[in-house]
């Protein structure tokens, strides 16, 4: 069987690989603290489950329009307008998950030779899809000293005449970094000067801890060049429902709908009805989980900062912490992959090496706080034991 060269360019996702290894250890009777997956540990709020079940009972089990059911497209547009983004239902394409929105949008924009600005520390799908589509990634650095925010100088340095697309993600996976008004204005000006389309991954928008998320899309002139990709997985604890969407400049809507038509036809119809309930019902569930993630990430960052050789920035959103563990890694060829491997196998903590998100992640770990405060505390205690053993060995 001859496989396409193109499919060989697709990578796997680190979190699923670590989960598989951790599950094997559990089957052998080991106790593992799971801090690897970006999956909310809360159940989907009951009113959303009810709406999905009701839709099934009411017979919403047939094909839907490829762009999504009108009620959900309207609810998504209204959700954006409430936070200050002028858009219409006609700009919305519903997809089976945020990842599918990223995939379809990037495929519609990237071809052989297209250069794409991607953060060096990012969700792995952006680079995988860029390469799959024949494009080239131009990686831009995020400065830990500035809370992992990108600088316009850095973007300028990486941008060439062939650069067409800029990928942004805030609140950011894996660091929890956010963007302020000054960052957004600088990036908007940069995107306009270089005539770039911005793919803005806003899947953690509802989980920005100050509750003040602002999209690049809302800045003057930016709606025409910003493709928002988002979904229900994180804010509404709906990872397994597979529900996401893109909010697109008009010219992109038709191409993305054609990609949808030719790949998944439509998003599960009853799931879309659950999505309407999520957006039109009480948002208290989002407020409550946001507050809990803020408390948990602060708990984790404080505990990690008490470990000699570890330093951790407090995130502004999402549910991850990204501690700097460089001091725990001796010169002699160890790496953060090895550190994470030993943490899992010797100490029973599943987390990710920072390098699962790019080369700039060397010397960092990504810890997901989508687990109870008790388990986060236990996991960090085990990290502390590893750190103590490493410094004893070094001495
Ligand atoms: N974007 C980012 C930054 C993510 O971290 C994730 C999931 O981890 C996604 C998109 C995809 O989410 P989903 O496909 O479950 O909606």
């Amino acid at each position: 069987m001859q496989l396409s060269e193109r499919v060989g360019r697709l990578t796997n996702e680190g979190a699923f690989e670590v989960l598989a290894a951790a599950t094997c250890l559990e089957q052998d009777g080991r106790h593992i603290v799971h801090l690897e997956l970006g999956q909310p540990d809360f159940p989907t709020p009951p009113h959303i489950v009810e709406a999905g079940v009701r839709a099934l009972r009411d017979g919403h089990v047939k094909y839907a329009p490829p762009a999504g059911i009108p009620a959900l497209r309207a609810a998504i547009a209204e959700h954006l307008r409430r936070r200050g983004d002028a858009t219409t239902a006609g700009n919305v394409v519903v997809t089976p998950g945020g990842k599918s929105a990223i995939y379809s949008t990037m495929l519609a924009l990237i071809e052989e030779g297209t250069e794409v600005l991607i953060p060096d520390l990012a969700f792995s799908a952006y680079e995988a899809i860029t390469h799959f589509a024949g494009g080239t990634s131009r990686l831009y650095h995020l400065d830990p000293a500035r809370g992992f925010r990108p600088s316009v100088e850095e973007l300028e340095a990486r941008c060439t005449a062939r650069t067409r697309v800029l990928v942004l993600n805030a609140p950011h996976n894996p660091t929890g970094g956010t963007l302020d008004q000054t960052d957004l204005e600088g990036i908007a000006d940069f995107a306009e000067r270089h005539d770039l389309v911005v793919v803005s991954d806003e899947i953690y928008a509802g989980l920005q801890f100050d509750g003040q998320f602002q999209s690049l899309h809302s800045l003057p002139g930016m709606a025409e060049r910003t493709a928002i990709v988002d979904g229900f997985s994180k804010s509404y604890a709906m990872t397994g429902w597979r529900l996401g969407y893109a909010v697109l400049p008009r010219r992109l809507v038709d191409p993305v709908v054609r990609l949808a038509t030719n790949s998944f036809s439509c998003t599960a119809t009853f799931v879309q009805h659950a999505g309407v309930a999520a957006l039109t019902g009480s948002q208290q569930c989002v407020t409550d989980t946001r507050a809990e993630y803020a408390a948990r990430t602060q708990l984790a960052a404080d505990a990690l900062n008490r470990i000699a050789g570890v330093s951790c920035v407090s995130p502004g959103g999402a549910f991850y912490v990204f501690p700097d563990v460089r001091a725990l890694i001796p010169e002699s060829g160890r790496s953060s992959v090895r550190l994470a491997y030993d943490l899992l196998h010797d100490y029973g903590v599943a987390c990710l090496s920072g390098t699962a998100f790019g080369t700039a992640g060397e010397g960092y770990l990504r810890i997901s706080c989508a687990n109870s405060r008790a388990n986060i505390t236990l996991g960090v205690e085990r990290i502390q034991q590893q750190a103590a053993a490493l410094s004893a060995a070094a001495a």
Side-chain angles (χ1 to χ4, degrees):
M1 187 190 296
Q2 176 88 34
L3 297 178
S4 77
E5 184 272 328
R6 190 192 300 115
V7 82
R9 297 181 218 152
L10 288 173
T11 48
N12 282 322
E13 207 178 304
F16 289 115
E17 290 172 346
V18 173
L19 174 65
T23 307
C24 281
L25 291 172
E26 282 173 326
Q27 279 160 1
D28 290 343
R30 294 280 310 278
H31 179 266
I32 305 294
V33 182
H34 285 277
L35 304 177
E36 76 278 42
L37 265 198
Q39 164 147 274
D41 54 318
F42 301 106
T44 304
H47 68 283
I48 302 176
V49 175
E50 257 326 296
V53 172
R54 201 178 325 115
L56 273 173
R57 290 214 183 92
D58 289 349
H60 292 293
V61 293
K62 302 263 165 64
Y63 289 129
I69 60 170
L72 182 56
R73 295 177 81 195
I76 291 166
E78 179 54 29
H79 170 70
L80 259 74
R81 282 196 295 268
R82 273 201 301 270
R83 67 172 204 206
D85 287 270
T87 194
T88 71
N91 294 83
V92 176
V93 181
V94 178
T95 56
K99 207 182 241 179
S100 175
I102 298 170
Y103 186 79
S104 302
T105 305
M106 291 184 77
L107 273 192
L109 291 168
I110 301 167
E111 60 192 350
E112 291 295 325
T114 308
E115 287 187 1
V116 182
L117 286 164
I118 297 175
D120 186 0
L121 279 183
F123 188 49
S124 58
Y126 314 135
E127 209 176 353
I129 298 164
T130 299
H131 295 161
F132 182 68
T136 307
S137 43
R138 304 276 304 165
L139 300 179
Y140 63 89
H141 182 65
L142 303 173
D143 186 359
R146 298 183 64 248
F148 295 100
R149 299 191 334 249
S151 73
V152 172
E153 297 72 41
E154 171 66 9
L155 291 170
E156 290 285 1
R158 304 289 160 213
C159 189
T160 78
R162 288 178 301 281
T163 309
R164 296 274 170 272
V165 180
L166 163 64
V167 177
L168 270 193
N169 169 222
H172 181 241
N173 178 10
T175 67
T178 53
L179 299 172
D180 63 21
Q181 177 76 22
T182 315
D183 296 319
L184 290 173
E185 283 169 7
I187 295 167
D189 176 61
F190 164 78
E192 269 178 354
R193 273 188 287 109
H194 294 277
D195 196 17
L196 304 179
V197 178
V198 182
V199 175
S200 179
D201 185 341
E202 302 181 358
I203 196 135
Y204 297 101
L207 302 180
Q208 181 159 317
F209 300 148
D210 64 6
Q212 303 288 313
F213 177 79
Q214 192 189 356
S215 172
L216 193 75
H217 182 276
S218 67
L219 270 65
M222 289 310 289
E224 287 83 62
R225 60 173 71 250
T226 305
I228 295 175
V229 288
D230 200 340
F232 293 71
S233 288
K234 314 293 178 176
S235 293
Y236 298 98
M238 290 178 73
T239 46
W241 295 73
R242 309 311 302 137
L243 187 59
Y245 56 88
V247 180
L248 303 166
R250 274 298 162 127
R251 264 201 76 198
L252 255 180
V253 172
D254 228 42
V256 169
V257 171
R258 269 182 280 133
L259 279 160
T261 306
N262 285 285
S263 52
F264 52 83
S265 291
C266 66
T267 302
T269 312
F270 66 94
V271 168
Q272 297 193 54
H273 285 273
V276 173
L279 292 180
T280 58
S282 164
Q283 299 302 297
Q284 194 57 42
C285 52
V286 182
T287 308
D288 291 348
T289 50
R290 179 168 63 225
E292 179 60 19
Y293 290 136
R296 289 178 185 180
T297 51
Q298 196 54 52
L299 172 81
D302 289 345
L304 286 160
N305 279 322
R306 285 194 289 272
I307 302 176
V310 178
S311 77
C312 186
V313 173
S314 296
F319 41 62
Y320 308 109
V321 289
F322 200 66
D324 177 345
V325 291
R326 277 173 295 180
L328 301 184
I329 301 174
E331 299 296 299
S332 56
R334 282 177 71 98
S335 64
S336 40
V337 168
R338 179 65 199 274
L339 199 72
Y341 181 93
D342 290 348
L343 255 180
L344 176 61
H345 290 86
D346 300 342
Y347 296 88
V349 180
C351 66
L352 302 186
S353 161
T355 50
F357 302 88
T359 51
E362 183 52 55
Y364 292 83
L365 296 174
R366 192 202 73 171
I367 291 170
S368 167
C369 296
N371 203 332
S372 65
R373 297 188 198 196
N375 279 332
I376 292 166
T377 303
L378 178 61
V380 177
E381 273 166 21
R382 292 182 181 182
I383 294 173
Q384 201 272 328
Q385 287 163 17
Q386 185 195 40
L390 283 170
S391 67

